């Protein structure tokens, strides 16, 4: 099985930034799985039908990074049938050579429970709200309320709730710069890669 890195955590914790940096550093493929749900929400109509019809081109739609798209994603992600359709897409992606980095909310617990490295990236609520508000040019207080609402929905859903896998390494980025957070993640990957049996 190709080397797989599963990165989970709440919105604006830094998991996407870390995932992209690791993929670039090690030459692995990268999938922001949240984009799948954002695209399904953006397509509108019946979410299950939208998930079945999803194509890679749909992940390039403009506006998928907006706060509204994030809220829509969280709502469609709570639908078990939508999640079931998208599981195969994600597992197929993870099985590709030379390796893959997937970030989302249930990668280490549901999508890739056998991943060689699982990271659970967290940060203080206020820190996450300030980051996302700066990124989107919105009010931090309003963003804090949105993030907490989304966190509660993601953690409470019956199917694949947001939580750390038992064997995940927790990485708190609250007081870290991007470079510091990436450096810690790189060190963990290098440690796991060095422990891999020779082909």
């Amino acid at each position: 099985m190709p080397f797989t890195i599963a990165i989970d955590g709440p919105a604006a914790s830094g998991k996407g930034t870390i995932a992209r940096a690791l993929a670039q550093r090690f030459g692995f493929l990268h999938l922001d799985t949240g984009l799948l749900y954002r695209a399904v929400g953006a397509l509108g109509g019946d979410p299950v039908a939208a998930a079945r019809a999803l194509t890679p081109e749909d992940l390039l739609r403009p506006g998928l990074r907006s706060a509204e798209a994030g809220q829509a994603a969280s709502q469609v992600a709570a639908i078990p049938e939508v999640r079931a359709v998208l599981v195969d897409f994600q597992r197929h992606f993870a099985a590709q050579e030379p390796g893959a980095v997937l970030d989302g909310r249930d990668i280490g617990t549901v999508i890739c429970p056998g991943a060689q490295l699982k990271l659970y990236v967290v940060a203080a609520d206020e820190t996450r709200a300030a980051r996302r508000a700066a990124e989107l040019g919105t009010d931090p207080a309003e963003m804090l309320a949105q993030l907490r609402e989304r966190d509660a929905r993601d953690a409470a859903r019956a199917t694949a709730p947001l939580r750390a896998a038992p064997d995940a390494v927790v990485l708190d980025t609250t007081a870290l710069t991007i470079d510091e957070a990436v450096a810690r993640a790189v060190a963990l990957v290098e440690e796991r890669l060095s422990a891999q049996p020779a082909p």
Side-chain angles (χ1 to χ4, degrees):
M1 176 183 171
F3 194 90
T4 306
I5 303 169
I7 305 181
D8 294 305
S13 58
K15 65 182 183 294
T17 300
I18 292 170
R20 287 188 295 273
L22 292 179
Q24 185 172 16
R25 169 72 180 261
F26 295 100
F28 292 162
L29 301 166
H30 171 240
L31 178 63
D32 172 356
T33 64
L35 280 182
L36 301 176
Y37 296 95
R38 286 171 178 261
V40 168
L43 286 169
D46 174 46
V48 178
R52 289 196 178 112
L54 195 66
T55 67
E57 290 71 34
D58 290 322
L59 305 184
L60 304 175
R61 289 169 63 98
L64 293 185
R65 297 286 180 188
S66 69
E68 293 77 15
Q71 289 292 338
S74 182
Q75 290 165 14
V76 300
I79 302 170
E81 293 84 359
V82 170
R83 301 196 72 85
V85 171
L86 296 180
V87 162
D88 287 343
F89 186 107
Q90 295 170 78
R91 288 183 174 157
H92 176 75
F93 186 93
Q96 297 179 92
E97 296 286 356
V101 185
L102 287 79
D103 68 272
R105 284 168 173 70
D106 64 347
I107 309 305
T109 55
V110 175
I111 304 301
C112 301
Q116 288 88 341
L117 174 63
K118 299 174 191 172
L119 292 177
Y120 193 75
V121 183
V122 298
D125 289 356
E126 292 76 10
T127 301
R128 295 191 296 125
R131 288 173 181 168
R132 186 53 55 88
E135 178 187 335
L136 299 176
T138 57
D139 177 57
E142 183 181 327
M143 184 55 62
L144 179 61
Q146 287 184 15
L147 287 178
R148 285 178 169 164
E149 176 191 341
R150 185 171 177 193
D151 290 348
R153 186 166 54 236
D154 290 348
R157 66 185 178 222
T159 304
L162 170 65
R163 62 181 175 84
D167 54 344
V169 177
V170 177
L171 178 57
D172 189 334
T173 67
T174 303
L176 300 178
T177 66
I178 291 173
D179 288 347
E180 289 169 340
V182 169
R184 293 192 186 187
V186 165
L188 289 165
V189 174
E190 289 177 337
E191 178 187 301
R192 299 295 170 91
L193 281 171
S194 68
Q196 289 283 103

